[in-house]
Each structure stands twice: as C-alpha cells, then as structure tokens.
Amino acid sequence: DAGVTQSPTHLIKTRGQQVTLRCSPKSGHDTVSWYQQALGQGPQFIFQYYEEEERQRGNFPDRFSGHQFPNYSSELNVNALLLGDSALYLCASSLNLGIPQYFGPGTRLTVL
Amino acid sequence: AQSVSQHNHHVILSEAASLELGCNYSYGGTVNLFWYVQYPGQHLQLLLKYFSGDPLVKGIKGFEAEFIKSKFSFNLRKPSVQWSDTAEYFCAVNGVGTYKYIFGTGTRLKVLA
C-alpha cells in the first residue's frame, strides 16, 4: 500500500503564475483534504472533497480551487500566485467521516 | 475566533521521563479533539481522537489524552517516554458536524537516550 502520494515534491513559480498540485489517497479512502502549512505553523485547512464535491472550505480566497476525480484522486489549483502562497501543501486522505487520518509527504511550493 | 494553542514549542526529556504536552482550544460549540504525530522522515498521522464519552482517551504506543471541558484543554500524556517518541506533535479540533480541522502550531519533542 503506497499510502498517500503527492506530486510534485517541489515546485518553484513566479508571482502571477498558476500551479496544480496532485494527490492520490490511500487505497480504499474516498475523502481528500488539502492543507497549507507555512514554516513554523500548523496545517491550515483549505478544503475537503468527497464524492467529487467540495464538502467544506476554509478561509482561503477563490484563487484556491480543487477537483476530485472518480478514482478519488484530487488536484489543488492556485491562480495568480502571491509570495505569501509559498508553503508546504499537504493532502490528507480518509473515509467518508472526513477525519484526516493519513497525510502525504507534501508539495513544497516556492513563489519568487 | 476558532483556534488551538500549544504553548510548548520545544520539549526535551530523558528516556523514562513522564510527558505532558499542553493543548487549549477556542471554539464556540461542541468539538471533537485530536492529536497527530510526525516522526522524523515520516508523514503526519493520527495518534488519537476524542468524540464523546470517557474524557480519558487512550491511543497507540502508550499515549493518552484527557479532555477537560471546563478548561478547554486536551493535554497529551505518556508515563514514560522512549527515544522513539522523538517527533513533532500537533493538537487539532473540529466542530461536530463540520469537516474543517484547526491545528495548533505543534510541539517538537526530543527524547534523549
């Protein structure tokens, strides 16, 4: 069992660009949550996807959007990147109760 | 405002010492409470959870946490730590019926052999 996988591992973008991050949940898990973790901080909830729908959203602007596919994998898209978007982006998978059980290794995004 | 506070950012203990990591939350409503752990080189994972009932919750590897509603606290404890407990520990809360999880800033625990 590969657990939760995320790609890419690292990414460098410039301000104003757009980025897509990908997540494959643990086998058998149908719910994916995305978190942003700035240096020295705890993970901050972006949104959760279940049955291809956004089930709940945190306090993030509309520049952050997502998608869940029929195989439960998910993408996080961020438009019009700002310097402050530089962070580690974590994906967590779970069953339909939504409790994030297993996290992936994260994607380190640097915005220059 | 909804928040979780972990006042100890770094803790250093010797093996066999007792551990207590503090967690206080601010949330207007009924909550579920969680502790997560990230071992060196590994991913964040769920350590234990409280939904309702007995306020003393037991998790894996001898960890336990006690929910004290009047103090809005959910402290993590272990009677005797081991070197392998070296990790970063995060406390989290979510409102019952919601899917938004609020994490604290984490406590880095180092256990000296």
Side-chain angles (χ1 to χ4, degrees), chain A residues 35 42 48 56 99-101 103, chain B residues 36 43-44 46 51 99 101 104:
Chain A
Y35 290 82
Q48 185 180 92
Q56 187 160 3
I99 304 166
Q101 286 183 274
F103 284 74
Chain B
Y36 287 82
H43 311 158
L44 200 58
L46 182 64
F51 292 143
Y99 303 99
Y101 291 74

Side-chain angles (χ1 to χ4, degrees), chain A residues 42-107:
Chain A
Q44 273 201 292
F45 178 76
I46 303 175
F47 39 55
Q48 185 180 92
Y49 275 84
Y50 171 66
E51 291 190 342
E52 302 179 51
E53 296 286 332
E54 182 184 287
R55 183 151 68 172
Q56 187 160 3
R57 187 180 186 90
N59 300 329
F60 280 80
D62 292 344
R63 298 187 297 109
F64 289 76
S65 63
H67 188 78
Q68 186 178 33
F69 298 95
N71 67 352
Y72 307 126
S73 67
S74 177
E75 288 182 348
L76 164 65
N77 300 291
V78 187
N79 295 324
L81 284 167
L82 303 174
L83 295 179
D85 295 332
S86 294
L88 180 68
Y89 288 85
L90 296 169
C91 168
S93 80
S94 51
L95 293 173
N96 62 11
L97 278 179
I99 304 166
Q101 286 183 274
Y102 297 98
F103 284 74
T107 294

Side-chain angles (χ1 to χ4, degrees), chain B residues 73-91:
Chain B
S73 70
F74 189 56
N75 292 353
L76 181 70
R77 301 197 294 244
K78 186 171 184 179
S80 176
V81 294
Q82 301 173 311
W83 177 80
S84 58
D85 294 325
T86 293
E88 187 160 20
Y89 294 83
F90 292 90
C91 180

